[in-house]
Amino acid sequence: MIPAHLRILWVFTWREFREQYAGSWLGSGWALIQPVMTVFVYWFVFGVVWELRLPEPRDTGSTLPFIVFLLSALLPWLAFQDGLNKAAGAVLSRSEVVRHGAFPVAVFPVARTIVAHLVFIPLVLAFALVLHFLAGRPLGFAAWLALPLLLGVQFALAMGLGLLLAALSVYVRDVGFLLSMVLMMLFFTAPILYPLAQVPEAIRSWMWLNPFTPYAEGYHQILLEGRWPDPGIWLLAIPTAIAALWVGRWVFGQLRAGFADVL
């Protein structure tokens, strides 16, 4: 059954990607244009208007352009955010399929999570290559190894949460509205727009309650410092991703039987 489900997953992943841009003039070109425009806005506000620079994390005594710091965690965050937003409504948008037979509907939120990461992960890797070859910020072998590993753990977290949100959204239609507020809160309370070291020490430890904080710090250490992330990053990220996968899969399985009745 697993090979058959993988074939179905591949079909619906490709279908989700095509349908996302169906009917538009630029088609899949929007997959690149949208994140580039997002980055441009942040760069213009913080890099051009405010001319922000940050202390160099490699202890060279120089400063770091804000856009470099921003992109190191923003691009993975956009993949995470887009994956959750798309996965949350995946079952609802395929109600005509859910009502018919024992179709493996879990492929819908998983496919949407895959599509979101397939769009942004190449941008993350391209950014790493620019840092390594053009910006004079070489990444060591350990950093190149850690980058896909951390992205993979992030994908596992997003997939688990996506399954959970997709199942809950069938029964509670407010999930989508709540999710947008939660994601906004997570974005501003993770060290994406600012270094964790600049957070007041009294509340700094609370920042680690944000599930994306270890990822943001991990990407900073990989891309800005060119090294393997601290052990604490993995000790937080991996168990959280495993727990999210287990809970998401279990809740989805428990609620799956009633999807057709509710839809």
Side-chain angles (χ1 to χ4, degrees):
M1 290 297 293
I2 292 179
H5 286 181
L6 289 176
R7 287 195 295 270
I8 294 173
L9 177 60
W10 162 251
V11 169
F12 275 92
T13 298
W14 176 240
R15 183 174 176 179
E16 287 288 349
F17 184 79
R18 287 186 304 166
E19 289 183 354
Q20 185 172 342
Y21 306 103
S24 64
W25 287 358
L26 296 178
S28 58
W30 286 109
L32 179 62
I33 294 172
Q34 289 172 327
V36 167
M37 288 302 299
T38 300
V39 169
F40 174 80
V41 170
Y42 279 109
W43 167 78
F44 180 77
V45 173
F46 295 104
V48 177
V49 177
W50 288 353
E51 297 183 339
L52 288 182
R53 297 185 72 87
L54 300 171
E56 173 61 62
R58 298 194 184 192
D59 297 325
T60 62
S62 59
T63 57
L64 177 73
F66 177 77
I67 189 63
V68 175
F69 173 85
L70 175 66
L71 288 179
S72 62
L74 178 64
L75 292 175
W77 164 261
L78 291 175
F80 180 74
Q81 173 184 261
D82 196 43
L84 294 191
N85 278 324
K86 286 182 167 60
V91 176
L92 288 172
S93 65
R94 300 290 185 183
S95 57
E96 72 285 353
V97 178
V98 177
R99 296 192 192 101
H100 294 84
F103 188 86
V105 295
V107 301
F108 299 142
V110 173
R112 290 193 172 187
T113 307
I114 292 174
V115 168
H117 282 75
L118 284 179
V119 168
F120 286 99
I121 284 179
L123 296 178
V124 176
L125 298 177
F127 177 62
L129 290 171
V130 169
L131 291 179
H132 186 84
F133 291 106
L134 301 179
R137 310 184 65 85
L139 277 63
F141 175 78
W144 282 112
L145 180 62
L147 183 57
L149 288 177
L150 191 58
L151 287 168
V153 177
Q154 175 186 310
F155 172 74
L157 174 67
M159 185 165 60
L161 294 177
L163 286 168
L164 175 65
L165 292 168
L168 293 177
S169 295
V170 176
Y171 295 89
V172 183
R173 303 301 170 91
D174 301 291
V175 166
F177 300 103
L178 179 62
L179 177 61
S180 63
M181 292 187 292
V182 170
L183 287 173
M184 180 178 65
M185 180 184 68
L186 293 179
F187 176 69
F188 285 105
T189 57
I192 299 172
L193 294 176
Y194 48 83
L196 190 60
Q198 291 187 359
V199 177
E201 192 171 349
I203 62 172
R204 193 178 303 164
S205 59
W206 292 97
M207 303 285 287
W208 291 98
L209 294 177
N210 185 324
F212 200 78
T213 292
Y215 294 94
E217 284 297 284
Y219 294 123
H220 291 158
Q221 292 173 12
I222 292 170
L223 296 170
L224 303 183
E225 300 179 42
R227 64 180 179 89
W228 184 270
D230 294 334
I233 300 293
W234 301 106
L235 289 175
L236 283 172
I238 294 176
T240 303
I242 292 174
L245 272 175
W246 187 88
V247 171
R249 184 174 180 273
W250 183 81
V251 171
F252 196 94
Q254 293 295 307
L255 299 181
R256 165 67 181 92
F259 286 175
D261 296 331
V262 177
L263 294 173

